[in-house]
Amino acid sequence: MKFIYIIYFLSIIQLFSQNIEKRNGEYKIDISTYRFSESEKKIKIGKSEFYFDKSGKIFEKISYGRHHYNKLDVIGNIEQFEYQNDILKLSRKYTSWCKTCEFDETDTKYNYNNKNELINEIILNVENDSIIMSINYLKEGNSLEIHSGESTYIQKIYDDNLKLIELNQIYENSKKIRWQYLFSYGNNWKRSNFQTYYGDGKENSKTEVEYYDKTNRIITKEILSNFNTKIVYIYSEKGLLKEIKEYESYNDDFKLKYVKHYKFKGKVRKLNNETIKKINDELIGK
C-alpha cells in the first residue's frame, strides 16, 4: 500500500512540474469500474473523477491508468473545460501514455454562429501550436453534417420535433453510406437499428432499445446482435446516477460482466432537477 501511495505522489509531482493546475468543482463524483471474470471474480479496471460546477456543467475529468501502464495508481488523462456565458469555449486535455511519460497537451476551441450553434472545432497541439484537426458542422434544414477532413463524414437527420431519426457515416467522395442508424420512438422507449454497408461480405447489424421511466430517465438499454447485452441504470433517492450494471448473454442466460459505481460528494440539498439531469447526462455520455 505504501508503494502505491509513493507512485501516486510522484504522479502528482509530475502534474505540478508541468504547470498543470488541478481544479476543484462544486460537486465531485468518483467512478469505479469493475469487470467480472468467468469465475465471477470482481476485478477493478477503471477509476476516474468528475467535477461539476454548481449548475451541473462539467468542469474537470480525471482518469487513472495509462495506455502502456494500465495500473490505476497514476493519473493518465485530465480534461478541463472553460465556459463563456454558459457556452463551452475551450477544452484542454493532458494525456500521458506510459508510467514515466510527461503529459501531452491538446486544446479544443469551439466556435459558434450568432445563434450559439456550434459551427467549428479546432484541435491544437499546444507544444508546437499546430492544428491536429478541424471539425466543421454544416446545418441545412433538418440535416447536420460533421466533416473532419477524413474519408468519411457524419450526417444527422432530425424530424420536425428535433428528434434524431437517422445517423449516417458517408464517404466524402462517392456519398455512399458506409453505416447507418435508424431511430424510432414510443412513449417510454427509443429503438435504433444499425446496419453496415461495407460491401466486403462482412456486414453486421444490431438493434438497440432504450427504456425510460416517468421522469424520462433511462433505466435499461438492450443491445441485440450475435450476442445480447443488457444495461441497467440505478439512481439514488435524490435522482443521481448511482450504478450501471452491464449483463451479457450468448443464449438466454444473462451474466453480470461490468459494473460502475458513482459516489457523489457535495451538498445534495443544493441540487435541483435541472442540475441533476445535466450531471446524469454527462455521466451516461449523452
Side-chain angles (χ1 to χ4, degrees), residues 167-183:
L167 175 63
N168 304 311
Q169 186 186 65
I170 300 174
Y171 290 104
E172 285 279 7
N173 292 332
S174 67
K175 305 303 179 186
K176 290 183 178 180
I177 294 175
R178 185 172 185 268
W179 54 252
Q180 180 180 67
Y181 278 96
L182 297 176
F183 300 91

Side-chain angles (χ1 to χ4, degrees), residues 31-37 41-48 63-67 69-74 244 246 248 257-261:
I31 306 169
S32 300
T33 305
Y34 298 87
R35 174 177 61 83
F36 290 86
S37 66
K41 181 181 178 182
K42 189 178 180 181
I43 304 165
K44 191 171 185 177
I45 60 170
K47 175 185 173 183
S48 56
S63 62
Y64 292 78
R66 300 178 180 179
H67 184 70
Y69 180 78
N70 59 8
K71 293 185 178 180
L72 304 177
D73 51 16
V74 295
I244 295 178
E246 182 173 326
E248 290 182 359
K257 297 296 291 185
Y258 300 96
V259 63
K260 275 188 178 182
H261 297 293

Side-chain angles (χ1 to χ4, degrees), residues 228-275:
N228 298 328
T229 301
K230 184 176 182 179
I231 304 171
V232 179
Y233 302 82
I234 301 167
Y235 300 87
S236 70
E237 186 176 337
K238 182 66 178 178
L240 286 160
L241 185 64
K242 183 172 70 173
E243 194 173 59
I244 295 178
K245 293 182 177 181
E246 182 173 326
Y247 300 83
E248 290 182 359
S249 171
Y250 289 87
N251 42 52
D252 293 329
D253 183 24
F254 278 93
K255 289 187 176 182
L256 182 62
K257 297 296 291 185
Y258 300 96
V259 63
K260 275 188 178 182
H261 297 293
Y262 299 85
K263 187 176 181 181
F264 180 83
K265 294 183 179 180
K267 296 181 179 179
V268 179
R269 60 182 175 79
K270 289 186 176 182
L271 295 170
N272 57 36
N273 291 337
E274 184 180 354
T275 302

Side-chain angles (χ1 to χ4, degrees), residues 99-121:
K99 183 178 179 180
T100 57
C101 294
E102 290 197 339
F103 286 84
D104 297 328
E105 181 183 345
T106 57
D107 283 0
T108 302
K109 297 181 179 180
Y110 303 88
N111 300 303
Y112 302 82
N113 61 18
N114 55 12
K115 297 179 181 179
N116 288 329
E117 297 171 334
L118 183 63
I119 57 173
N120 175 255
E121 294 178 39

Side-chain angles (χ1 to χ4, degrees), residues 168-221:
N168 304 311
Q169 186 186 65
I170 300 174
Y171 290 104
E172 285 279 7
N173 292 332
S174 67
K175 305 303 179 186
K176 290 183 178 180
I177 294 175
R178 185 172 185 268
W179 54 252
Q180 180 180 67
Y181 278 96
L182 297 176
F183 300 91
S184 57
Y185 300 84
N187 289 332
N188 67 335
W189 55 265
K190 178 176 79 172
R191 179 189 296 270
S192 59
N193 293 313
F194 174 79
Q195 179 65 56
T196 64
Y197 299 96
Y198 301 147
D200 59 359
K202 299 179 181 179
E203 308 299 352
N204 63 77
S205 62
K206 64 180 177 179
T207 297
E208 299 180 10
V209 186
E210 297 178 357
Y211 295 95
Y212 301 86
D213 65 12
K214 293 179 180 178
T215 63
N216 206 33
R217 297 179 307 192
I218 184 171
I219 50 175
T220 59
K221 180 176 181 178

Side-chain angles (χ1 to χ4, degrees), residues 137-178:
Y137 296 79
L138 306 177
K139 185 178 179 182
E140 185 174 346
N142 288 1
S143 174
L144 175 67
E145 294 181 359
I146 306 171
H147 298 261
S148 58
E150 304 291 330
S151 61
T152 59
Y153 66 93
I154 297 297
Q155 180 193 54
K156 296 181 178 182
I157 299 176
Y158 300 85
D159 65 14
D160 292 337
N161 296 315
L162 301 182
K163 284 188 175 181
L164 183 64
I165 54 175
E166 277 189 43
L167 175 63
N168 304 311
Q169 186 186 65
I170 300 174
Y171 290 104
E172 285 279 7
N173 292 332
S174 67
K175 305 303 179 186
K176 290 183 178 180
I177 294 175
R178 185 172 185 268

